[in-house]
Amino acid sequence: MNGLVLLIISIAVLAAGYILYGRWLCKQWGVGELDQPTPAHTLEDGIDYVPAKAPILMGHHFSSIAGAGPITGPINAAGFGWLACTLWILVGGIFFGGVHDFGALFASVRHDGKSIGEIISTNMSKRAKMLFLIFSYLTLILVVAAFASIVAGTFGATFTETGAVDLAASESNARVAMVSLLFILIAIVFGFLVYRRNAPMSVASVVGVIAIVAIIAIGMNFHPIYLSASSWMWICGIYIAIASVTPVWILLQPRDYLSSFLLYAMLALAVVAVVLARPDMSSLPAVVTSVETATGTKNPIFPVLFTTIACGAISGFHSLVSSGTTSKQLDKESDAKPIAYGGMLLECVLAILTLCAVAYAFTWNAQNPDSALKGATAIFGGGLAHMIDNSIPGTYDILYTLLVLTYSAFCLTSLDTATRLARFMFQEFWLDGSKGETPENVTGYKKIFSNMYVATGITVVLGVLLGLNGYEKIWALFGSANQLLAALGLLAVATWLGNIGKNNKMFLIPMGFMLIVTIASLIINTIAQVNQISAGGADWGPYVQAILGILLVVLAVILAIEGIATLAHPKKQQV
């Protein structure tokens, strides 16, 4: 199979899904049927609830949900075969992930921009809400740790045995770090001009793009900052602490909007690379039922494929973004479909492009063993850069830097969004929404722990410390935990739609499938950890994974029982 043919077919399938299935979902749920303003207008507070025009919010939403997922997922799952991965990306994106993201955003908008936790509380039970919030918060801490580590890794310098900076090995990272810092600066200026000086969006966008080109040129030629990855971890911690509590119009909206141009440029470059190189997908197997790991064990295609390709098909993290930050900025309800459903399918395109990069990298590594592409950044960025460089010599360095910069922008956006979401979750845990409790009207310990600065401080410290002290030891749990979040997100929206008398049948198969995938994956991983512990010499990682794995299975069963009971006997509510 030619990679270009695969890309064309995939885009056609995804476009048909968006037009046909997306339109049908809108009719079934009644999207836009109520002529009323969104929570971004009714609850506007200048901090979290701030209406954003569709292009700006699309930039935030897409870059937040993408992160490293649609790149690392297909790379790690490619061993199961390009056809197996492609089928799951297309079917999963249209009928699972798109429904999940769109439904979470729509449900949150109809619940005053509240999170999936509050939707569960209203439509299932308070106990279910508390369990969900604890689980979601711990998952987000892991996300913060992982993405902070990834960002710090793309910024950090390499040092020689004598402690001196290896300039040749560190230059690319120093360029990315410099451009990223300048990017934050121009985003703040952009937000000030648009929201406080009412600069026309068209003019501001043109100036913003010119500024992006300028800072890339500056960063390529002037990059004096060479710090260790651990130093960058703490700098990232300070940044996300500030970003989590500042009004979204100052940094979140403008940075994500401007970064979307980088992201779209990356997609365009990836498409050009596939058009020029037309990678041979047969360099990868079509379907492999099990893949041997480095430890000699075998991972079966079910359920491992469906937890490995997360963001490229369906991801629970997306429901937290949709119901956390995006719903609080949605200008009008009709924007929900292009932003949530369209954003998910655009991510599927990125996942397909990544598969093409993997196929090319596989061929490249066989032909160039001395300069093999290893690791997600090298396989994706280096693979695409080599594709173009083969047709347009001399472009590799700048293309690789641009692609790594964009990859880092994905992760940095997801990082500060995850921190803000964790802050929301931590605050909501202490408040009873049914009694109208808010951080302003509660007293005592609730007043302390629902304070956004306290919630942010605890979140950042936990995330950074975990990132510095071996989050990799429990990262294997993330795939299962993330897909359990997806199953619970589907369950929450399905119960709400059932309670208001709307069609929720499109959620039932995805929800049941993801619950089965999650539980099966957790059981397999827990057995593997117990075997490792039994063999002796295990550190704390396997113990934590085994304990958390059992707890997550129990959580999944409890919430599934409550959800099924609610679906069987809906609580009639007003729309």
Side-chain angles (χ1 to χ4, degrees):
M1 169 69 78
N2 183 303
L4 178 57
V5 174
L6 177 66
L7 179 62
I8 292 172
I9 293 173
S10 298
I11 291 175
V13 171
L14 293 169
Y18 176 80
I19 295 170
L20 301 176
Y21 198 59
R23 181 188 300 158
W24 182 76
L25 292 175
C26 289
K27 291 180 179 178
Q28 296 300 306
W29 301 344
V31 178
E33 67 181 5
L34 299 181
D35 186 18
Q36 63 184 30
T38 62
H41 293 281
T42 59
L43 300 173
E44 185 172 0
D45 60 6
I47 298 177
D48 298 315
Y49 287 85
V50 178
K53 294 180 180 179
I56 293 179
L57 189 54
M58 180 62 174
H60 158 69
H61 183 80
F62 179 55
S63 52
S64 294
I65 64 171
I71 296 174
T72 57
I75 290 173
N76 292 331
F80 291 109
W82 67 267
L83 181 58
C85 292
T86 299
L87 290 175
W88 173 234
I89 290 168
L90 298 181
V91 174
I94 294 171
F95 298 105
F96 287 64
V99 174
H100 169 269
D101 295 13
F102 189 11
L105 176 56
F106 179 55
S108 179
V109 169
R110 291 290 180 90
H111 285 79
D112 294 329
K114 294 178 181 177
S115 75
I116 290 292
E118 288 296 336
I119 295 170
I120 288 176
S121 177
T122 302
N123 294 277
M124 289 170 56
S125 70
K126 292 180 182 178
R127 181 184 69 170
K129 167 200 168 180
M130 303 300 278
L131 290 172
F132 179 83
L133 288 179
I134 292 172
F135 165 57
S136 300
Y137 183 76
L138 294 177
T139 302
L140 286 170
I141 292 297
L142 186 55
V143 171
V144 170
F147 284 176
S149 182
I150 291 172
V151 171
T154 61
F155 289 0
T158 300
F159 295 87
T160 64
E161 293 181 357
T162 61
V165 174
D166 186 338
L167 292 177
S170 305
E171 186 174 36
S172 179
N173 284 15
R175 288 170 174 169
V176 171
M178 189 64 183
V179 174
S180 298
L181 293 175
L182 293 174
F183 200 94
I184 293 171
L185 179 61
I186 67 170
I188 294 173
V189 174
F190 182 92
F192 177 77
L193 292 175
V194 171
Y195 288 97
R196 287 297 178 267
R197 289 294 180 265
N198 298 315
M201 182 58 67
S202 57
V203 175
S205 298
V206 172
V207 173
V209 171
I210 294 173
I212 291 173
V213 174
I215 64 172
I216 290 175
I218 293 171
M220 289 292 293
N221 295 283
F222 178 72
H223 36 269
I225 304 175
Y226 290 83
L227 300 175
S228 66
S230 59
S231 297
W232 279 116
M233 277 287 288
W234 286 109
I235 294 173
C236 283
I238 295 171
Y239 165 74
I240 59 178
I242 296 172
S244 175
V245 297
T246 53
V248 292
W249 65 265
I250 292 178
L251 182 59
L252 188 77
Q253 285 184 0
R255 189 179 70 79
D256 293 354
Y257 174 65
L258 290 177
S259 70
S260 69
F261 289 105
L262 275 178
L263 307 182
Y264 302 145
M266 182 194 71
L267 286 170
L269 280 174
V271 170
V272 170
V274 172
V275 170
L276 292 175
R278 296 183 294 281
D280 183 7
M281 302 306 295
S282 63
S283 61
L284 298 172
V287 179
V288 176
T289 56
S290 65
V291 175
E292 188 171 339
T293 67
T295 59
T297 60
K298 289 190 175 183
N299 283 332
I301 192 170
F302 181 90
V304 178
L305 172 67
F306 306 98
T307 57
T308 304
I309 297 182
C311 293
I314 179 172
S315 167
F317 178 66
H318 294 191
S319 68
L320 303 184
V321 175
S322 293
S323 67
T325 53
T326 305
S327 63
K328 295 176 176 63
Q329 301 173 66
L330 194 72
D331 186 40
K332 53 182 183 293
E333 205 168 86
S334 59
D335 289 343
K337 177 191 168 186
I339 289 172
Y341 197 68
M344 179 64 243
L345 299 191
L346 188 58
E347 194 165 356
C348 293
V349 174
L350 178 56
I352 295 295
L353 288 166
T354 301
L355 273 181
C356 294
V358 174
Y360 182 87
F362 192 88
T363 302
W364 171 271
N365 290 348
Q367 297 173 350
N368 303 273
D370 294 335
S371 57
L373 301 171
K374 298 179 180 179
T377 305
I379 290 173
F380 180 75
L384 294 176
H386 277 305
M387 287 189 209
I388 297 176
D389 188 64
N390 285 344
S391 297
I392 310 174
T395 58
Y396 180 84
D397 285 343
I398 189 169
L399 288 175
Y400 181 75
T401 299
L402 178 60
L403 289 164
V404 173
L405 169 64
T406 307
Y407 179 75
S408 177
F410 268 125
C411 295
L412 193 58
T413 300
S414 295
L415 174 60
D416 60 33
T417 298
T419 308
R420 189 178 286 259
L421 292 173
R423 189 253 288 180
F424 290 156
M425 295 287 178
F426 193 91
Q427 290 179 280
E428 283 184 11
F429 180 82
W430 307 100
L431 303 173
D432 188 339
S434 65
K435 296 179 180 179
E437 291 183 351
T438 67
E440 291 74 30
N441 63 22
V442 293
T443 59
Y445 71 91
K446 287 188 176 183
K447 185 77 171 180
I448 296 173
F449 289 116
S450 66
N451 179 278
M452 69 176 180
Y453 298 107
V454 173
T456 299
I458 293 173
T459 298
V460 171
V461 170
L462 290 176
V464 171
L465 288 178
L466 181 59
L468 288 170
N469 292 280
Y471 79 92
E472 301 94 340
K473 295 180 184 296
I474 58 174
W475 182 248
L477 270 178
F478 176 75
S480 300
N482 185 49
Q483 299 307 60
L484 176 55
L485 266 179
L488 299 179
L490 290 163
L491 175 61
V493 181
T495 55
W496 168 64
L497 287 171
N499 287 345
I500 63 174
K502 295 289 186 181
N503 184 4
N504 63 0
K505 292 182 176 59
M506 69 288 294
F507 285 90
L508 302 184
I509 292 177
M511 178 189 70
F513 182 79
M514 296 314 299
L515 277 173
I516 294 171
V517 163
T518 296
I519 293 173
S521 180
L522 286 170
I523 291 173
I524 290 173
N525 186 66
T526 300
I527 292 174
Q529 302 310 314
V530 171
N531 290 338
Q532 189 173 342
I533 293 170
S534 301
D539 58 15
W540 61 270
Y543 289 94
V544 173
Q545 285 198 55
I547 294 171
L548 290 180
I550 295 170
L551 291 177
L552 288 177
V553 170
V554 173
L555 171 68
V557 172
I558 292 174
L559 292 178
I561 292 173
E562 288 210 23
I564 292 170
T566 304
L567 290 171
H569 305 285
K571 305 172 183 179
K572 297 301 180 184
Q573 299 177 9
Q574 295 294 320
V575 178

